Amino acid sequence: AGTWRGFFPHMAHAVAGSFTRSRLRWAILYSAFIFVLLRVSLWLYQPYLKSAGFDVVAVGFIFAAVYLCAAFTSHGIEHIRRRIPGAALYWALPITLGASYLVLGRFTATWGVVLLLAQKAVDGIYSPLTKELINRDIPEAAERATVLSVESMVRRFAFCLFAPLCGVLVDRVSL
């Protein structure tokens, strides 16, 4: 029980410390926003692909393909950063995700797999890009693990808040 008493004040201090610097706060919130847009796909891909006419085996192969796309994109992050420099890459991630979700929400078709690949390309870019952004704004190496833990908790808490809303929207409006 004593461990938990110390945990919550420590975490409150870590969160407060991480959010006092505007650039770091922006990076953490940006990471949480992109994380939510990426993680919602875990619940939406399977029903989307089923409604597009793919059977269970095809869905499995498509999942494998999109995650391979994420892996290859992550591997090529340096090349991507050279081709899309600066703020353009940071804007490209939410724009790509938002546009792909809008199109996928409007059209259910086999060609939607191309947009799923685009989303997973963003997934491959997301982690190295946001980690670099956050690490750049942490002045002391001793803070790095704490701030990265805070960032991980914030993005997972954001998804915790969004997931039920997503479920209600899909249930009431449709996929």
Side-chain angles (χ1 to χ4, degrees), residues 101-108:
Y101 279 123
L102 287 173
V103 172
L104 290 168
R106 180 75 173 104
F107 303 100
T108 303

Side-chain angles (χ1 to χ4, degrees), residues 14-38:
V15 170
S18 298
F19 276 79
T20 56
R21 291 171 273 193
S22 62
R23 285 174 44 133
L24 192 53
R25 179 177 53 244
W26 182 90
I28 291 170
L29 294 175
Y30 175 84
S31 176
F33 178 69
I34 300 299
F35 182 83
V36 167
L37 290 176
L38 289 169

Side-chain angles (χ1 to χ4, degrees), residues 88-149:
L89 187 56
Y90 294 105
W91 282 102
L93 273 62
I95 289 170
T96 299
L97 290 170
S100 65
Y101 279 123
L102 287 173
V103 172
L104 290 168
R106 180 75 173 104
F107 303 100
T108 303
T110 56
W111 55 261
V113 171
V114 173
L115 295 175
L116 303 183
L117 288 166
Q119 289 180 352
K120 287 304 159 198
V122 168
D123 200 356
I125 295 168
Y126 158 75
S127 185
L129 186 69
T130 57
K131 295 301 180 264
E132 176 188 322
L133 182 66
I134 290 166
N135 282 326
R136 185 174 48 208
D137 288 328
I138 302 171
E140 296 178 28
E143 286 184 83
R144 192 158 287 125
T146 301
V147 173
L148 290 173
S149 292

Side-chain angles (χ1 to χ4, degrees), residues 3-56:
T3 305
W4 286 107
R5 269 184 263 152
F7 172 78
F8 291 109
H10 174 72
M11 289 316 302
H13 178 73
V15 170
S18 298
F19 276 79
T20 56
R21 291 171 273 193
S22 62
R23 285 174 44 133
L24 192 53
R25 179 177 53 244
W26 182 90
I28 291 170
L29 294 175
Y30 175 84
S31 176
F33 178 69
I34 300 299
F35 182 83
V36 167
L37 290 176
L38 289 169
R39 289 307 168 258
V40 76
S41 69
L42 295 174
W43 281 270
L44 299 179
Y45 280 13
Q46 191 275 335
Y48 178 85
L49 292 168
K50 183 179 178 184
S51 65
F54 293 100
D55 65 11
V56 173

